[in-house]
Amino acid sequence: MAGPQWSVGIDTGGTFTDVYAVDLAGGATLCAKTPSTPDDPSRAILKGLQILADDLGVDLSHLLRLAHGTTVGTNALIQRTGGRVGLLVTRGFVDLPAIGRQTRPRIFDLQTDAPPPLAGPELRFEITERVLADGSVLRPLAMEEVPALAEAIRASGAEALSICLLFSFLNPNHEQRLREALSAELPDLRISLSSEVQPEFREYERLNTTLINGYLQSVMEGYIDRLDSGVEALAPQAGLGINQSSGGLMTASLARSFPVRTALSGPAAGAVGAAYVARQVGRQNVLTVDVGGTSADVALIVDYRPGIAREREVAGFPIRLPMVDIETIGAGGGSIAWFDIDGLLKVGPRSAGAHPGPACYGEGGTEATVSDANLVLGRLGGDLANGGLNLRPDLARDAIAPLAQRLDCKVEEAALSILQIVVSNMVRVLRSISVERGHDPTSFALMPFGGAGPLHARDIAVELGIGEIIVPAAPGIVCAQGLLVADRREDFSATRRLLLAAENKTALDEALAGLDGAAEAWLSEAEAAPEACRKELVVEARYEGQNFELQVPAGRFGQGAAAAFPEIETFRTAFLDEHRKAYGYANPEAPVEVINLRLTAFVAGLDLTVAKDEPADGHGRTAERQVWFDASGPITTRIYHRGDLAAEQRIPGPAIIEQLDTTIPIYPGDVGVLDHHGNLIITLGGEA
């Protein structure tokens, strides 16, 4: 196709939907924001595409790739708005969802219960069969029970059915036969198999992950169908990719079948985008804080890679799948300030959201929020999104005034208190992913993004002892950018509980060969250049008798190269190194057992280095205003527009840098310098 070749990343947030477009032929980049539409996020996405066409001149017939990070699955879990899902288990295990692990959500809170199972007693079914721990069949599948079972499922009104039989991750035959038989009886029933969704040991987590998949299927199918048809009407050439919680893209058809993989889709894209920026600026260890309108997501990037967790809780439910290791807190621009029963001022987690939004939006909100505090202090200007959103300082003051009266202080001092509290909330979570995991935050750079991240970065950095802040070129759309640079990814796993010994090497190689065949088939279907493809092996192992495993990187392989389990002693050494990192010691004599083999296939994402803007003339100063940086009072502050700043331009504080998607304060005594990729590097308290 001659002419532009546009790729677009669209991230849906609680307040705004962010659009980032790149012309891979010409190198141009475009950004847009539009208010989110929580009732149907696809409307905001299509509106974003329309803005590209109508306001920014993009010919959508040249849009070839659309990558999307979604919160539909997450919100359905939080709000309990998924479909009516049934559960089919081995006879005698029908109460497993209710029993769970018998752990309380908060160990010292006797009043808080675990969330009720997604499938109530009337939606739980059982069938006679039994597979043993070695995969052999003790009791054959009672196919004669299927007609009565199908009738019970029909009478329950279930829209979807999750099947989770004992040890089906070793022998999936019974689950597969049940799907075939039940599909014949109930052709409209959506069926999820645990042997496909999460083929690993730990019965409750496997069951719950499969149950969530069924619970989300009807919601995600409807959403993707609406989005797919809308995109096809506007951009008929565009291929649609959905971001997974692991930070890689999958096809829309896979997202329909495995919606549980999207449980942390949006935040994962931010971590991937931040890792890409970290490579641009050459900072391999970075703490990230993504502050949007409703929440703040924090992540740790080590050696340019975000961490991957294999099990997370979402809305109180355990999900055992690869996910970018992100912690979330209810602290965003729309977080509401309020007094608790103890008389203390709190901020969040309740948010003003997109509607009515903070009081300063003038859309009917009356409660004081973080954005109102930033506006009162002069850190935010009156216009956002290049005039697309006109803020009302008078309404912000009116909202904060009752708090100030109760605190017996000035409105500005109350605003500072709001910001101090929200920063403390973020710092607490940042410490949990750094200090509590053995990392010294003073050896990391801080990377804030999201619309509100840069506004709070300096205070966070001071609390953590960090001396450098890296603000990406377009911090409000890092998640959208991450969607474009994200690899396409598919994970393959197998459970093999074997001692790490020479006599088990053949069994490990055979298990890995099965995964390798599936990975090679997926890479072939991707139809990508061989140099863009790779496979990575991670082995989960533990000392015999331990409860939980460590993830041990065990090799990288190109497409066509057979993945092989390392030599036994080589892997033992790697395991001991990981154990020392995690626990501070290792016992070379203790027996080690391998639990899971994980082979991940990747197709490299886009390289956006061609999308650098030419440096401007450096005359970015547009105005001055009074800004409160601390309680000592307001000071006259230079205001710059980021698009007018030149590469390597030095900007001493006090200064405010404004752009479409965020506002960046540079405090007195700090210095900011723009690099050739447009990233702003702020050095605290000295020369850059």
Coordinates of all heavy atoms in Angstrom, one line a residue, residues 586-615:
A586 N 21.2 -20.2 50.0 CA 20.9 -21.4 49.2 C 21.6 -22.6 49.7 O 22.7 -22.5 50.2 CB 21.2 -21.2 47.7
N587 N 21.0 -23.8 49.6 CA 21.6 -25.0 50.1 C 22.0 -25.9 48.9 O 21.1 -26.5 48.3 CB 20.7 -25.7 51.0 CG 21.3 -27.0 51.6 OD1 22.4 -27.4 51.3 ND2 20.5 -27.7 52.5
P588 N 23.3 -26.0 48.5 CA 23.6 -26.8 47.3 C 23.3 -28.3 47.5 O 23.2 -29.0 46.5 CB 25.1 -26.5 47.2 CG 25.4 -25.3 48.0 CD 24.4 -25.3 49.1
E589 N 23.2 -28.8 48.7 CA 23.0 -30.2 48.9 C 21.5 -30.6 49.0 O 21.2 -31.8 48.8 CB 23.6 -30.6 50.3 CG 25.1 -30.2 50.4 CD 26.0 -30.7 49.3 OE1 25.7 -31.9 48.9 OE2 26.9 -30.0 48.8
A590 N 20.6 -29.7 49.2 CA 19.2 -30.0 49.3 C 18.6 -30.4 47.9 O 19.0 -29.9 46.9 CB 18.4 -28.9 49.9
P591 N 17.7 -31.4 47.9 CA 17.1 -31.8 46.6 C 16.2 -30.8 46.1 O 15.4 -30.1 46.8 CB 16.3 -33.1 47.0 CG 16.1 -33.0 48.5 CD 17.3 -32.3 49.0
V592 N 16.2 -30.6 44.8 CA 15.4 -29.6 44.1 C 14.4 -30.3 43.2 O 14.7 -31.4 42.6 CB 16.3 -28.7 43.2 CG1 15.4 -27.7 42.4 CG2 17.3 -27.9 44.1
E593 N 13.2 -29.8 43.1 CA 12.2 -30.4 42.2 C 11.7 -29.4 41.2 O 11.5 -28.2 41.6 CB 11.1 -31.1 43.0 CG 10.3 -30.2 43.9 CD 9.2 -31.0 44.6 OE1 9.1 -32.2 44.4 OE2 8.4 -30.3 45.3
V594 N 11.5 -29.9 40.0 CA 10.9 -29.0 38.9 C 9.4 -29.2 39.0 O 8.9 -30.3 39.1 CB 11.5 -29.5 37.5 CG1 10.7 -28.7 36.4 CG2 13.0 -29.2 37.5
I595 N 8.7 -28.1 38.9 CA 7.2 -28.1 38.9 C 6.6 -27.8 37.6 O 5.8 -28.6 37.0 CB 6.7 -27.2 40.0 CG1 7.3 -27.5 41.4 CG2 5.2 -27.2 40.1 CD1 7.0 -28.9 41.9
N596 N 6.9 -26.6 37.1 CA 6.3 -26.2 35.8 C 7.4 -25.8 34.8 O 8.4 -25.2 35.1 CB 5.4 -24.9 36.0 CG 4.2 -25.3 36.9 OD1 3.5 -26.3 36.7 ND2 3.9 -24.4 37.9
L597 N 7.1 -26.1 33.5 CA 7.9 -25.6 32.4 C 7.0 -24.6 31.7 O 5.9 -24.9 31.4 CB 8.2 -26.8 31.5 CG 9.0 -28.0 32.0 CD1 9.1 -29.1 31.0 CD2 10.3 -27.6 32.6
R598 N 7.6 -23.5 31.4 CA 6.9 -22.4 30.7 C 7.7 -21.9 29.5 O 8.8 -21.4 29.7 CB 6.6 -21.2 31.6 CG 5.8 -21.6 32.9 CD 5.5 -20.3 33.7 NE 4.8 -20.6 34.9 CZ 3.5 -20.8 35.0 NH1 2.7 -20.7 33.9 NH2 2.9 -21.0 36.2
L599 N 7.1 -22.1 28.3 CA 7.8 -21.7 27.1 C 6.9 -20.6 26.5 O 5.7 -20.8 26.3 CB 8.0 -22.8 26.1 CG 8.8 -22.5 24.9 CD1 10.3 -22.3 25.3 CD2 8.8 -23.7 23.9
T600 N 7.5 -19.4 26.3 CA 6.7 -18.3 25.7 C 7.3 -18.0 24.4 O 8.5 -17.8 24.2 CB 6.8 -17.1 26.6 OG1 6.4 -17.4 28.0 CG2 6.0 -15.9 26.1
A601 N 6.4 -17.8 23.4 CA 6.8 -17.5 22.0 C 6.4 -16.0 21.8 O 5.4 -15.5 22.2 CB 6.0 -18.3 21.0
F602 N 7.4 -15.3 21.2 CA 7.2 -13.8 21.0 C 7.4 -13.5 19.5 O 8.2 -14.1 18.8 CB 8.3 -13.0 21.7 CG 8.2 -13.2 23.2 CD1 8.9 -14.1 23.9 CD2 7.5 -12.3 24.0 CE1 8.9 -14.2 25.3 CE2 7.5 -12.3 25.4 CZ 8.2 -13.3 26.0
V603 N 6.6 -12.5 19.0 CA 6.9 -11.9 17.8 C 7.1 -10.4 18.1 O 6.3 -9.8 18.7 CB 5.7 -12.0 16.8 CG1 6.0 -11.2 15.5 CG2 5.5 -13.5 16.4
A604 N 8.3 -9.9 17.8 CA 8.7 -8.5 18.2 C 7.7 -7.5 17.8 O 7.1 -7.5 16.7 CB 10.1 -8.2 17.7
G605 N 7.4 -6.5 18.7 CA 6.6 -5.4 18.4 C 7.2 -4.3 17.5 O 8.4 -4.5 17.0
L606 N 6.6 -3.2 17.3 CA 7.1 -2.2 16.5 C 8.3 -1.5 17.1 O 8.4 -1.3 18.3 CB 6.0 -1.2 16.2 CG 4.7 -1.6 15.5 CD1 3.8 -0.5 15.3 CD2 5.1 -2.2 14.1
D607 N 9.2 -1.1 16.3 CA 10.3 -0.2 16.7 C 9.9 1.2 16.3 O 9.9 1.5 15.1 CB 11.6 -0.6 16.0 CG 12.8 0.2 16.4 OD1 12.6 1.1 17.2 OD2 13.9 -0.1 16.0
L608 N 9.7 2.1 17.3 CA 9.2 3.4 17.0 C 10.4 4.4 16.9 O 10.1 5.6 17.0 CB 8.2 3.8 18.1 CG 7.0 3.0 18.2 CD1 6.0 3.5 19.2 CD2 6.3 2.8 16.8
T609 N 11.6 4.0 16.8 CA 12.7 5.0 16.8 C 12.6 5.9 15.6 O 13.2 6.9 15.5 CB 14.1 4.2 16.8 OG1 14.1 3.3 15.7 CG2 14.3 3.5 18.1
V610 N 11.9 5.4 14.5 CA 11.7 6.3 13.3 C 10.7 7.4 13.6 O 10.6 8.3 12.8 CB 11.1 5.4 12.2 CG1 12.1 4.3 11.8 CG2 9.8 4.8 12.5
A611 N 10.0 7.3 14.8 CA 9.0 8.3 15.0 C 9.4 9.5 15.9 O 8.7 10.0 16.7 CB 7.8 7.6 15.7
K612 N 10.7 9.9 15.8 CA 11.2 11.0 16.6 C 10.8 12.3 15.9 O 11.0 12.5 14.6 CB 12.7 10.9 16.7 CG 13.2 9.7 17.5 CD 14.7 9.8 17.8 CE 15.4 9.6 16.5 NZ 16.9 9.5 16.7
D613 N 10.4 13.3 16.6 CA 10.1 14.6 16.1 C 11.4 15.4 16.0 O 12.3 15.2 16.7 CB 9.1 15.3 17.0 CG 7.7 14.7 17.0 OD1 7.3 14.2 15.9 OD2 7.1 14.7 18.1
E614 N 11.4 16.3 15.0 CA 12.5 17.2 14.9 C 12.5 18.2 16.0 O 11.5 18.6 16.5 CB 12.5 18.0 13.5 CG 12.7 17.1 12.3 CD 14.0 16.5 12.3 OE1 15.0 17.2 12.6 OE2 14.2 15.3 12.0
P615 N 13.7 18.6 16.5 CA 13.8 19.5 17.7 C 13.2 20.9 17.3 O 13.3 21.3 16.1 CB 15.3 19.6 18.0 CG 16.0 19.1 16.7 CD 15.1 18.1 16.1

